[in-house]
């Protein structure tokens, strides 16, 4: 095994190597519009592939259960310090392996088994971890939910106040996966205090906007704030939990040893790198472009006869009704037809959907990934037209051939990771 420490993946494991190459090409050759995805920098990618993956570091900086943690302490402390600067929070735990685990740690911190939570309904844009019956949150706690109003398709805060008074939750959960409008965290904080509840804001989707002040921050209004690090925040796949100082020690105990063992130091190091990027002025310009692009994409889709849920967008995503009361196609059909032309979106239920979740009446599109590639308003107009053309005529091979060519021409103008070094050494030189 002379070459154990030196052989590239291309010679070590051709099957996986080829899959990586194919994935590099798939990401480069398609238009990525999944609202929860993004493309990390080479620096983040390289850090994720670093030797920190070899290290056990159970515990926290300065208080570890293993030796040899001096450099793990450096990266975890940097991630914590940068997170606090970025969000202005009193305490940050950067160890959660994912957004779901950050939420689990907070629920364990705030609640006893059987307590009541009030969360946004999944069908109206909420998340599984906010009380879905098949998720730990729905299994271990009593759940009540709130949603959007029929007319505005925006959160009905008066109804939320009523639900809070009716159910008296111990924890009110806000934040969403498919909600295109500003969330009024101040109002939600007031509602919670009026019934003696605590609040967890889950900013998994909008963290990058919050970090740059382009969406109001939940930090002053909430006991707990959780996020993923890989969506608009553009870091490695992972989670983070923030809280007021009074809950810090409890939250740390709930993350480890409550729900996790050893932290992923290579990912925490990459979180530190991503947070460092997010503290630079460039990142705010990027987030502003994400917003501008979403607005133009939304307008283009509306102009082409599709219905935009809530009439527009304030953030990075657009929820589009493609079913149009049976005059259009289902979300499932739209996702597949767009996939054929290398435009990647996900089907999504719309509020008060008459189709089942696996079929759905809508698609969700987001601009974080394409904005990272450098695309701007002109490209959004072109992409909006391509999407509309395919949805209005999903069976036409002529349309598909034409749009596929347009996608190829467009993506070729916005190159991404191009060589073995650009992906942190994970690719063979021949990757192109
Ligand atoms: C994506 C998301 C999560 C979960 O993130 P994972 O890292 O996939 O576990 C949690 N909450 C919301 C609102 C999300 O959108």
């Amino acid at each position: 095994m002379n070459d154990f420490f030196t052989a590239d993946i291309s010679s070590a494991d051709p099957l996986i190597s080829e899959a990586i190459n194919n994935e590099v090409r798939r990401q480069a050759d398609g238009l990525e519009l999944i609202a929860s995805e993004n493309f990390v920098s080479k620096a983040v990618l390289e850090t994720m592939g670093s030797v920190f993956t070899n290290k056990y570091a159970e515990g926290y900086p300065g208080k570890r259960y293993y030796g040899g943690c001096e450099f793990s302490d450096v990266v975890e402390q940097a991630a914590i310090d940068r997170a606090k600067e970025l969000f202005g929070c009193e305490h940050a735990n950067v160890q959660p392996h994912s957004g779901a685990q950050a939420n689990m740690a907070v629920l364990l911190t705030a609640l006893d088994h059987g307590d009541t939570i009030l969360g946004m309904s999944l069908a109206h844009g909420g998340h599984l971890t906010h009380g879905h019956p098949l998720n730990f949150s729905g299994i271990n706690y009593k759940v009540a939910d709130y949603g959007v109003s029929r007319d505005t398709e925006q959160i009905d805060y008066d109804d939320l106040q009523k639900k809070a008074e009716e159910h008296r939750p111990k924890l009110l959960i806000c934040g969403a996966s498919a909600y295109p409008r500003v969330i009024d965290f101040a109002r939600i904080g007031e509602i919670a205090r009026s019934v003696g509840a605590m609040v967890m804001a889950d900013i998994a989707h909008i963290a990058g906007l919050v970090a740059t002040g382009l969406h109001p921050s939940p930090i002053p209004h909430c006991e707990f704030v959780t996020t993923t690090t890989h969506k608009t925040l553009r870091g490695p796949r992972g989670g983070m939990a923030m809280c007021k100082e009074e809950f810090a020690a409890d939250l740390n105990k709930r993350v480890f040893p409550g729900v996790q063992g050893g932290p992923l130091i290579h990912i925490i190091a990459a979180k530190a790198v991503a947070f460092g990027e997010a503290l630079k002025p460039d990142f705010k310009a990027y987030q502003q472009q994400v917003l501008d692009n979403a607005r133009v994409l939304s307008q283009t889709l509306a102009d082409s006869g599709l219905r935009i849920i809530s009439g527009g967008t304030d953030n990075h995503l657009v929820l589009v009704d493609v079913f149009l009361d049976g005059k259009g196609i289902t979300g499932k059909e739209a996702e597949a037809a767009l996939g054929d032309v290398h435009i990647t979106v996900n089907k999504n239920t719309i509020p008060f959907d008459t189709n089942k979740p696996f079929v759905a009446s809508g698609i969700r599109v987001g601009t974080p990934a394409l904005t990272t590639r450098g695309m701007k308003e002109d490209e959004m107009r072109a992409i909006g037209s391509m999407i509309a053309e395919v949805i209005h005529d999903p069976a036409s091979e002529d349309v598909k051939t034409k749009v596929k060519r347009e996608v190829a021409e467009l993506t070729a103008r916005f190159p991404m990771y191009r060589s073995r070094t650009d992906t942190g050494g994970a690719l063979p030189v021949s990757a192109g």
Side-chain angles (χ1 to χ4, degrees):
M1 291 293 270
N2 281 345
D3 53 358
F4 182 81
F5 290 109
T6 54
D8 289 332
I9 181 74
S10 54
S11 55
D13 192 328
L15 175 76
I16 301 303
S17 175
E18 193 189 338
I20 294 171
N21 285 345
N22 288 338
E23 179 63 12
V24 169
R25 245 170 255 129
R26 189 193 68 80
Q27 292 186 14
D29 294 349
L31 289 172
E32 182 54 70
L33 284 160
I34 293 180
S36 50
E37 294 190 14
N38 211 329
F39 300 120
V40 298
S41 67
K42 180 192 166 191
V44 168
L45 209 50
E46 204 179 322
T47 308
M48 288 166 72
S50 71
V51 293
F52 275 119
T53 194
N54 297 329
K55 191 71 198 95
Y56 247 110
E58 282 179 358
Y60 290 99
K63 299 176 287 271
R64 305 284 188 183
Y65 291 84
Y66 288 80
C69 289
E70 56 270 38
F71 305 116
S72 298
D73 283 3
V74 170
V75 299
E76 184 166 353
Q77 195 57 52
I80 293 167
D81 293 343
R82 291 173 187 180
K84 285 163 93 169
E85 188 179 347
L86 203 49
F87 291 98
C89 57
E90 291 176 14
H91 175 73
N93 186 309
V94 297
Q95 292 194 359
H97 301 334
S98 70
Q101 275 172 302
N103 289 351
M104 191 170 189
V106 166
L107 267 55
L108 285 170
T109 306
L111 303 167
D112 291 314
H113 188 93
D115 280 345
T116 299
I117 58 177
L118 175 59
M120 188 163 173
S121 149
L122 186 64
H124 289 199
H127 189 260
L128 283 170
T129 53
H130 301 181
H132 190 278
L134 295 177
N135 181 263
F136 79 89
S137 54
I139 293 169
N140 292 303
Y141 308 104
K142 283 199 213 79
V143 180
D145 65 14
Y146 63 94
V148 301
S149 86
R150 256 180 205 277
D151 334 326
T152 62
E153 297 176 306
Q154 301 192 32
I155 294 173
D156 187 338
Y157 294 96
D158 294 333
D159 182 60
L160 172 51
Q161 173 83 50
K162 275 195 216 109
K163 295 257 173 70
E165 286 165 12
E166 183 189 337
H167 298 284
R168 296 267 149 186
K170 190 156 169 196
L171 184 70
L172 202 166
I173 303 179
C174 59
S177 299
Y179 185 69
R181 293 302 188 168
V182 164
I183 297 175
D184 190 345
F185 293 121
R187 175 99 193 258
I188 290 173
E190 275 167 33
I191 293 171
R193 278 186 294 282
S194 77
V195 298
M198 293 186 283
V199 190
M200 176 183 97
D202 176 350
I203 58 170
H205 261 263
I206 56 172
L209 300 169
V210 170
T212 49
L214 296 172
H215 186 292
S217 172
I219 297 284
H221 314 290
C222 304
E223 281 78 7
F224 304 94
V225 176
T226 58
T227 184
T228 62
T229 49
H230 50 275
K231 298 179 184 176
T232 52
L233 202 48
R234 207 165 62 179
R237 191 155 291 277
M240 172 161 79
M242 296 169 271
C243 68
K244 302 266 190 243
E245 193 54 47
E246 60 177 305
F247 302 105
D250 282 347
L251 178 67
N252 280 355
K253 265 186 234 137
R254 290 314 196 176
V255 173
F256 167 82
V259 299
Q260 293 184 177
L264 311 176
I265 297 295
H266 57 309
I267 299 299
I268 291 171
K271 287 173 183 171
V273 173
F275 298 163
E277 291 172 358
L279 283 165
K280 297 200 180 112
D282 279 2
F283 191 69
K284 181 161 185 178
Y286 160 67
Q287 295 292 338
Q288 184 61 55
Q289 191 66 53
V290 166
L291 291 180
D292 295 344
N293 283 353
R295 223 169 288 133
V296 170
L297 184 59
S298 171
Q299 193 56 54
T300 309
L301 294 168
D303 291 346
S304 73
L306 297 170
R307 193 177 76 84
I308 307 302
I309 301 304
S310 82
T313 179
D314 301 324
N315 62 23
H316 63 296
L317 70 85
V318 187
L319 200 52
V320 190
D321 176 359
V322 295
F323 190 61
L324 306 166
D325 283 325
K327 291 186 282 293
I329 61 176
T330 65
K332 186 181 176 185
E333 288 163 338
E335 180 188 300
L338 290 167
D340 288 344
V341 298
H342 302 159
I343 296 177
T344 315
V345 307
N346 61 279
K347 63 176 172 285
N348 212 104
T349 54
I350 61 175
F352 310 100
D353 208 323
T354 51
N355 285 306
K356 293 205 176 74
F358 201 72
V359 177
S361 297
I363 56 171
R364 186 186 67 164
V365 293
T367 54
L370 293 184
T371 307
T372 295
R373 284 185 81 162
M375 294 189 192
K376 295 201 163 69
E377 288 88 340
D378 284 345
E379 288 76 36
M380 294 304 124
R381 276 185 277 272
I383 293 166
S385 301
M386 292 179 210
I387 291 173
E389 229 179 315
V390 171
I391 288 175
H392 288 313
D393 203 354
S396 164
E397 285 309 316
D398 289 349
V399 167
K400 280 192 184 158
T401 305
K402 170 177 160 278
V403 172
K404 215 172 177 171
R405 192 176 56 239
E406 289 170 351
V407 169
E409 282 163 10
L410 181 55
T411 54
R413 290 200 285 121
F414 294 88
M416 299 172 54
Y417 318 108
R418 268 177 306 175
S419 70
R420 175 170 163 236
T421 21
D422 282 350
T423 54
L427 276 178
V429 186
S430 63

